[in-house]
Amino acid sequence: MINKNLMIPKVWIPPVAAFFLGVVNVNGQEAKKDTLHEKEIDEVVVVAYGKAKKTSYTGSVATISSEKINNRPVTNITKALEGQVPGLQAVSASGQPGSTASIRIRGIGSISASSNPLFVVDGIPFDGNINSISPNDIESISVLKDATASSLYGSRGANGVIIVTTKSGKRGEARVNFNISQGFSSRAVKDYEQVTTDQYFQLYWEALRNGYTSSQVSSQQAAQMATDNLVNALGINPYGANYVKPVGTDGKLLPGATALWNDNWKDILQRTASRNQVDLDFSGGNEKSNYFFSLGYLDDKGIAIESGFRKYSTRLKINSEVKKWLNVGANLAYTNSLQEAPPSSDSRTDNVINAARVIPSFYPYYERNADGSYKLDSSGNYIYDFGKYRPTSALQNENAAATLPLDKNENREDNFSGKGFAEFTFLPELKFKSSFSVDLVNYNGHYYTNPLLGEGTEIGGSVTKTNSRTLSYTTSNILTYDKKFGQHHINILGGQEFYHYEYQTISGSRSQFSLPYYYEPDAAALLGSFSGNSDKLGLLSFLGKAEYDFKNKYFVSGSVRADGSSRFSPENRWGTFWSVGGSWKASNEDFIKNLNVFNQLTLRASYGGQGNDKLSTYYAYQSLYAFYNNLGEGGTVASKLPTPDLKWETNLNLNAGIEFSVLNNRIKGNVEYFQRKSKDLLFGMPLAPSLGFSEYQANIGELKNTGFEFSLFTTPIKTKDFEWNVDVNLSTLKNEITKLPKGSIVSGTKLLQVGGSVYDFFIPEWAGVDPNNGKPLWKTITTDASGNTVEGTTSEYAKATKTLQGSSLPKIMGGITTSLGYKNFDFSTLVSFAIGGKILDTDYTMLMHNGSSAGRAWSAEILNRWTPENRYTDVPALSTTTNNWTSTSSRFLYSGTYARVKNVSLGYTLPSDYFEKIGLKKFRVYVQAENLLTFYKHKGMDPEQTLDGTTYYRYPAMRTITFGVQATL
């Protein structure tokens, strides 16, 4: 049965359409028609220096509501953005609590300069640590992606803008909101599978035998030598005194030989961690003023021992109409945080994550007797085993379980953010707003190595303390004129903005503590290093914008901003950036209305240019000098060449899109095409080392990012008691270098060349294993005497030819959100995914050595190594002689395609009748999971890696299960 009131043309309606119309039969009864209202699709979004109706806005903006942020168990809001905005790539390079995700909007906008977006909090650019913003304080997040949307921020918004709007009090009765949660965290992805102790000893016997075998030593002699020297080579015999030579000359364990212990280092270096969070806020308001005050506490332990993040936060936001012509407001926020961050990246020996992976389980973490029992000290306590007998590849003289509890690896921060404004209304249509904001970040790093155990014993312990202070402030003065003339509407904005940035740092170290358990530098005798420096940056801007619409159908806009940056010489200091845009609300046309198909249809397009000055140096055009101590005499050395001709990098952004809503607003969608060109790229041009400088800054080359973005918001079912929503977004991306000053530039494992991307892998191509001898093979490409290209293979890595092996950038990214509501129950899921791209897994290579790294753990894949009986394989023969097969090549380059269940939430709101007597308005209990499941082919590696696609022994992502209670008074 079709409801005639829907005014659908008299054509056959397929069941799927009827389902979305909300007229399907539910439990034997016809569902009540319940359409979504116009106000739900013509939402007001926060944009640059104001607000706008989404359907009439000429720019590209995506909005995330508070419901999708507040309840996520994340310590940093950047990690809540992945999969929720098309065109936004959020990559969590570390699972360390308190770490920040790297964000790119519509691709990579630069090669050497920053591609980070600008964060704006409550209308003012934000320079504090994004960790300081509590997710519970957020009302919404708007992502501005094209030139029209972000050009008013000029050079600061060249890589897109993320506008965070914090909560304000609402008119009416005062409210109190309380949220408490308790969670538990573990690894989101199980680590690489490793061989057992028995398998390891037999495999290493094989490596020894193959290493001994030569023209002078027969295979029988080599086998006997391997049996005789196995225990000595590994430094330990976990099989006990009854099996002095546990592996026989046949390469098999002796009958009855059983390992007396199996100490998995992950069990002692990693843990199931706790997560506790409490948020409390008070809000209210009347016709003339409102207030919002919040308090927050977070204690997020990491899965690595002695790691975690603890934060105390508070925010006070007040807005008041003190006169009919004067509105004032203040927004003050303070956060104190402590991040405990033991080394958990790069290949350093004290990396707690790497130690848990590379030390095999037959090396105990407490000292053992020959019979497997524990050795005890005079007090009857276990004695930590530092493995002085272990080979260096098995982290000799290291035991992080013993040293980390005695060491300190602390990062403390105080973040203060203050904003204030005064808005004067001269006429109903003419307003002037003056704003001031300040961000102050004080950072203290405390790194202490104890003198009792571990590497610190050799120097009597050491301590390093670092302090830095970052102060920035922004002033803005904006005049707006907004007027309707019959069917015409104009909005004009003009203003001035000034940004000032200061950074200061000081650091010192000492060693030789006379007493243990004293952590401050004063307790150490020997002065080590001492350093300090400061930087300043200024940016003066003038901006203007004009918008016009006719009959609420046709919209045009234009903006211009001039920025003067202290990074450039006076001759090139100023850059002018602009945008033009237009949109057509076609659904307001009679001929579209008569179709009875579209509830809303808008076409939009924009084009504009923005600049980028964000090089790593604050003095980009100046010659710089470094100071050195030469036997007590000071000296200076030129460290940077002057580049007075350096100028702005420019981004030219094209955007075209269509936004629609059909079937009584049950299906809403958005399709956009973007083209982002970057020219005059800021780049560090390499120089010959003989010149005394490694590089110089220059404007070189051009870059282009293109792609499509799709968003679909659907409500398949909406009845009195049940609602089901499904949202899907995805985006495509092609990154291409279109111009370079010379043919190509090699940078590490990447090749920059015209036609390629900024993250194209340029590494040797793996050619497999020689079935005749088990040696690794790499591809070679040479030219013969006739000029013909000749392809071959080599077993010598140094002779291998580097070739392009794909890009780390995914081709498609997106997310799927499903939410269900049945009476008082609510359920939601978010799945993020990426298709395409490559990841170079250098973590894995540590577990794939051929036997030349004695004592280091082995991946289970090593069981498929070459043998005379297993000739056709992808793992070379084992040997204690280095064959370099784990060197960088396409052998360890894996597909980056994955899907991850980022969030699952289930809640129940108790009927209000139960709590009316005690004044409760709402009481909800919930359980949720973050990073619940990951679907990925290369088991053991977390597919969320750095943007350049190379792993680096990082802290893994965490799976967090949280239980909580929310209450509103």
Side-chain angles (χ1 to χ4, degrees):
M1 172 179 171
I2 303 298
N3 190 327
K4 296 180 180 179
N5 293 328
L6 296 177
M7 299 182 66
I8 301 296
K10 294 181 179 181
V11 294
W12 178 75
I13 298 178
V16 172
F19 183 66
F20 276 99
L21 288 170
V23 296
V24 296
N25 191 285
V26 180
N27 296 329
Q29 297 181 355
E30 183 182 13
K32 179 182 178 182
K33 173 194 166 188
D34 190 356
T35 62
L36 303 178
H37 301 295
E38 176 70 18
K39 66 180 182 180
E40 292 180 301
I41 63 170
D42 202 13
E43 61 180 311
V44 175
V45 294
V46 179
V47 296
Y49 301 98
K51 296 181 180 180
K53 289 186 176 181
K54 191 173 188 300
T55 57
S56 57
Y57 188 56
T58 60
S60 178
V61 57
T63 301
I64 306 173
S65 64
S66 60
E67 289 79 10
K68 296 181 179 180
I69 303 169
N70 293 169
N71 299 326
R72 294 282 297 276
V74 294
T75 58
N76 191 298
I77 62 172
T78 60
K79 296 190 176 184
L81 300 179
E82 183 183 10
Q84 304 214 57
V85 177
L88 184 149
Q89 183 181 11
V91 178
S92 300
S94 173
Q96 163 73 44
S99 62
T100 303
S102 297
I103 293 178
R104 297 294 181 267
I105 297 175
R106 290 186 167 178
I108 312 300
S110 183
I111 296 177
S112 291
S114 172
S115 291
N116 293 326
L118 170 70
F119 278 89
V120 173
V121 178
D122 292 323
I124 304 294
F126 179 72
D127 255 354
N129 192 328
I130 203 67
N131 264 331
S132 65
I133 302 176
S134 172
N136 186 69
D137 289 351
I138 295 175
E139 182 68 33
S140 68
I141 293 179
S142 295
V143 180
L144 312 185
K145 296 183 283 187
D146 73 330
T148 295
S150 58
S151 62
L152 275 184
Y153 291 109
S155 61
R156 302 183 74 179
N159 296 301
V161 180
I162 297 176
I163 298 180
V164 178
T165 302
T166 60
K167 294 177 180 177
S168 298
K170 294 178 173 57
R171 183 183 303 176
E173 184 181 358
R175 291 202 168 192
V176 179
N177 292 297
F178 178 72
N179 183 12
I180 183 171
S181 63
Q182 168 72 57
F184 303 94
S185 302
S186 58
R187 290 183 67 107
V189 175
K190 187 178 179 180
D191 207 358
Y192 308 100
E193 184 181 358
Q194 298 184 10
V195 300
T196 65
T197 295
D198 291 351
Q199 291 169 336
Y200 194 104
F201 269 70
Q202 293 173 100
L203 289 167
Y204 200 73
W205 177 94
E206 184 178 318
L208 285 171
R209 183 203 60 186
N210 292 345
Y212 290 140
T213 302
S214 65
S215 58
Q216 289 80 28
V217 179
S218 67
S219 58
Q220 292 82 2
Q221 290 175 311
Q224 185 62 58
M225 293 170 66
T227 296
D228 295 341
N229 297 325
L230 176 60
V231 169
N232 184 60
L234 296 177
I236 196 170
N237 183 3
Y239 297 97
N242 294 332
Y243 299 92
V244 178
K245 299 178 181 180
V247 178
T249 56
D250 59 353
K252 305 295 182 184
L253 277 175
L254 297 180
T258 303
L260 301 177
W261 61 82
N262 184 45
D263 287 0
N264 188 336
W265 282 76
K266 295 183 182 67
D267 293 340
I268 194 171
L269 295 179
Q270 297 179 13
R271 62 193 176 185
T272 298
S274 63
R275 187 182 195 278
N276 302 291
Q277 184 171 356
V278 180
D279 291 294
L280 176 67
D281 66 69
F282 308 85
S283 63
N286 53 36
E287 294 182 354
K288 292 191 174 182
S289 64
N290 60 71
Y291 66 91
F292 175 85
F293 175 65
S294 69
L295 295 168
Y297 167 76
L298 171 67
D299 186 8
D300 190 5
K301 299 295 185 185
I303 62 170
I305 63 171
E306 304 302 320
S307 69
F309 182 76
R310 187 167 65 248
K311 179 176 73 173
Y312 302 89
S313 61
T314 184
R315 179 178 297 273
L316 175 62
K317 187 176 182 181
I318 300 174
N319 298 288
S320 179
E321 180 186 323
V322 295
K323 298 289 183 179
K324 288 185 178 181
W325 50 269
L326 177 61
N327 289 320
V328 297
N331 189 344
L332 307 176
Y334 170 74
T335 299
N336 173 270
S337 65
L338 168 63
Q339 183 186 52
E340 297 174 299
S344 58
S345 64
D346 74 41
S347 57
R348 52 191 288 178
T349 58
D350 58 350
N351 182 332
V352 63
I353 300 299
N354 206 37
R357 175 183 295 144
V358 303
I359 304 178
S361 58
F362 54 81
Y363 292 119
Y365 32 77
Y366 295 117
E367 291 186 7
R368 302 268 187 168
N369 295 307
D371 62 359
S373 61
Y374 290 108
K375 291 183 179 180
L376 304 176
D377 62 16
S378 57
S379 301
N381 299 315
Y382 296 151
I383 304 171
Y384 281 106
D385 191 332
F386 279 83
K388 294 181 179 180
Y389 54 85
R390 293 198 301 255
T392 56
S393 299
L395 304 186
Q396 188 181 71
N397 296 324
E398 290 283 344
N399 191 323
T403 57
L404 282 180
L406 300 175
D407 296 341
K408 282 186 177 294
N409 296 276
E410 297 179 345
N411 301 309
R412 294 181 181 270
E413 275 194 357
D414 293 285
N415 280 259
F416 171 78
S417 179
K419 300 175 177 62
F421 75 88
E423 185 178 56
F424 302 86
T425 302
F426 302 116
L427 298 171
E429 60 272 11
L430 182 64
K431 297 181 180 181
F432 175 76
K433 186 175 183 179
S434 182
S435 304
F436 177 80
S437 73
V438 59
D439 294 308
L440 176 62
V441 180
N442 189 73
Y443 164 82
N444 278 281
H446 190 177
Y447 311 104
Y448 165 81
T449 302
N450 79 88
L452 298 175
L453 299 172
E455 61 183 17
T457 58
E458 298 178 0
I459 57 173
S462 65
V463 62
T464 298
K465 280 205 133 182
T466 299
N467 175 264
S468 66
R469 179 180 182 270
T470 302
L471 172 68
S472 65
Y473 60 83
T474 301
T475 62
S476 66
N477 299 285
I478 305 295
L479 184 68
T480 58
Y481 181 80
D482 189 277
K483 181 71 174 179
K484 284 188 176 181
F485 303 91
Q487 294 181 324
H488 305 272
H489 174 235
I490 62 171
N491 181 281
I492 300 174
L493 178 151
Q496 168 269 334
E497 190 172 87
F498 177 70
Y499 168 72
H500 179 79
Y501 173 91
E502 291 182 7
Y503 174 80
Q504 299 173 346
T505 183
I506 192 170
S507 179
S509 64
R510 301 182 80 162
S511 58
Q512 289 292 348
F513 285 88
S514 57
L515 293 172
Y517 310 113
Y518 287 83
Y519 311 113
E520 299 298 333
D522 281 354
L526 182 61
L527 179 65
S529 63
F530 181 79
S531 62
N533 60 76
S534 61
D535 288 302
K536 289 184 179 181
L537 173 68
L539 186 72
L540 177 62
S541 307
F542 300 92
L543 57 123
K545 179 184 72 171
E547 296 177 334
Y548 167 79
D549 73 80
F550 177 65
K551 291 185 176 181
N552 197 32
K553 297 179 185 178
Y554 315 105
F555 305 82
V556 294
S557 68
S559 68
V560 63
R561 174 163 171 151
D563 283 344
S565 172
S566 63
R567 293 182 192 264
F568 301 119
S569 65
E571 294 78 15
N572 295 312
R573 181 152 294 167
W574 287 91
T576 302
F577 315 109
W578 54 273
S579 75
V580 293
S583 66
W584 172 38
K585 192 181 287 188
S587 53
N588 283 359
E589 302 283 1
D590 291 338
F591 70 92
I592 297 293
K593 291 180 180 179
N594 293 337
L595 295 175
N596 292 323
V597 175
F598 294 99
N599 303 110
Q600 188 260 322
L601 179 65
T602 301
L603 287 76
R604 61 171 59 93
S606 67
Y607 186 69
Q610 294 167 277
N612 191 357
D613 68 339
K614 297 179 181 63
L615 282 165
S616 58
T617 174
Y618 296 101
Y619 314 99
Y621 72 96
Q622 295 178 322
S623 58
L624 299 179
Y625 296 85
F627 297 89
Y628 290 92
N629 178 1
N630 183 19
L631 299 177
E633 296 292 332
T636 57
V637 176
S639 62
K640 177 184 172 297
L641 291 171
T643 51
D645 295 330
L646 199 68
K647 61 183 180 179
W648 289 88
E649 179 178 290
T650 302
N651 282 277
L652 297 172
N653 298 308
L654 169 69
N655 184 81
I658 180 171
E659 186 175 352
F660 64 89
S661 175
V662 297
L663 298 177
N664 295 306
N665 303 322
R666 291 297 182 87
I667 300 178
K668 299 177 289 182
N670 188 63
V671 180
E672 290 185 307
Y673 167 78
F674 68 88
Q675 183 184 86
R676 181 183 179 194
K677 292 183 178 180
S678 302
K679 66 177 185 177
D680 297 324
L681 296 176
L682 295 168
F683 186 77
M685 283 292 293
L687 289 173
S690 59
L691 297 177
F693 300 91
S694 60
E695 64 179 22
Y696 70 95
Q697 304 295 330
N699 294 100
I700 62 103
E702 297 180 1
L703 186 65
K704 182 171 68 174
N705 293 274
T706 56
F708 289 91
E709 296 174 356
F710 306 87
S711 299
L712 192 64
F713 308 92
T714 69
T715 305
I717 300 176
K718 185 177 176 67
T719 68
K720 179 181 179 181
D721 294 328
F722 182 72
E723 181 173 345
W724 175 29
N725 297 293
V726 180
D727 302 340
V728 179
N729 75 80
L730 62 86
S731 59
T732 67
L733 175 65
K734 181 180 180 182
N735 175 269
E736 181 182 0
I737 298 171
T738 56
K739 182 180 178 182
L740 282 176
K742 59 179 184 178
S744 61
I745 299 173
V746 178
S747 177
T749 60
K750 307 299 188 299
L751 175 69
L752 305 177
Q753 67 173 7
V754 173
S757 81
V758 296
Y759 291 138
D760 280 348
F761 285 102
F762 187 62
I763 56 179
E765 182 177 347
W766 174 251
V769 173
D770 190 329
N772 298 314
N773 54 28
K775 291 184 177 181
L777 297 174
W778 296 274
K779 188 175 181 179
T780 60
I781 301 176
T782 57
T783 304
D784 62 16
S786 301
N788 300 315
T789 299
V790 179
E791 295 187 359
T793 60
T794 179
S795 292
E796 297 182 46
Y797 180 78
K799 295 182 179 180
T801 303
K802 292 183 177 180
T803 57
L804 289 170
Q805 298 294 330
S807 172
S808 67
L809 298 174
K811 296 181 179 179
I812 299 176
M813 302 171 293
I816 303 172
T817 303
T818 300
S819 62
L820 300 169
Y822 177 69
K823 294 187 177 180
N824 292 341
F825 288 94
D826 60 87
F827 174 80
S828 66
T829 64
L830 168 63
V831 177
S832 63
F833 61 86
I835 301 174
K838 299 289 185 67
I839 299 175
L840 182 63
D841 192 356
T842 57
D843 293 11
Y844 192 48
T845 58
M846 295 197 74
L847 305 179
M848 291 294 287
H849 59 97
N850 70 315
S852 58
S853 299
R856 181 180 295 168
W858 253 325
S859 165
E861 189 181 356
I862 213 74
L863 294 171
N864 193 36
R865 80 285 181 200
W866 182 94
T867 65
E869 297 74 33
N870 184 38
R871 299 176 59 216
Y872 300 98
T873 178
D874 203 30
V875 181
L878 301 183
S879 175
T880 52
T881 301
T882 301
N883 60 8
N884 294 316
W885 94 282
T886 56
S887 299
T888 300
S889 78
S890 62
R891 170 61 173 81
F892 301 102
L893 199 62
Y894 299 91
S895 168
T897 299
Y898 78 95
R900 170 166 277 172
V901 181
K902 291 294 292 184
N903 183 262
V904 178
S905 177
L906 174 64
Y908 178 73
T909 302
L910 277 69
S912 59
D913 297 344
Y914 294 163
F915 299 99
E916 285 182 348
K917 294 181 180 180
I918 59 174
L920 276 175
K921 292 183 173 63
K922 179 181 178 181
F923 190 87
R924 177 177 179 263
V925 293
Y926 62 89
V927 59
Q928 56 186 351
E930 192 79 5
N931 294 329
L932 182 62
L933 297 170
T934 302
F935 303 95
Y936 185 62
K937 187 175 180 181
H938 179 41
K939 302 300 182 182
M941 189 190 77
D942 192 326
E944 287 191 66
Q945 294 292 337
T946 55
L947 290 164
D948 69 356
T950 302
T951 66
Y952 206 53
Y953 318 104
R954 70 182 186 94
Y955 201 113
M958 295 195 296
R959 176 190 293 122
T960 303
I961 310 296
T962 305
F963 305 87
V965 174
Q966 294 173 318
T968 300
L969 296 172

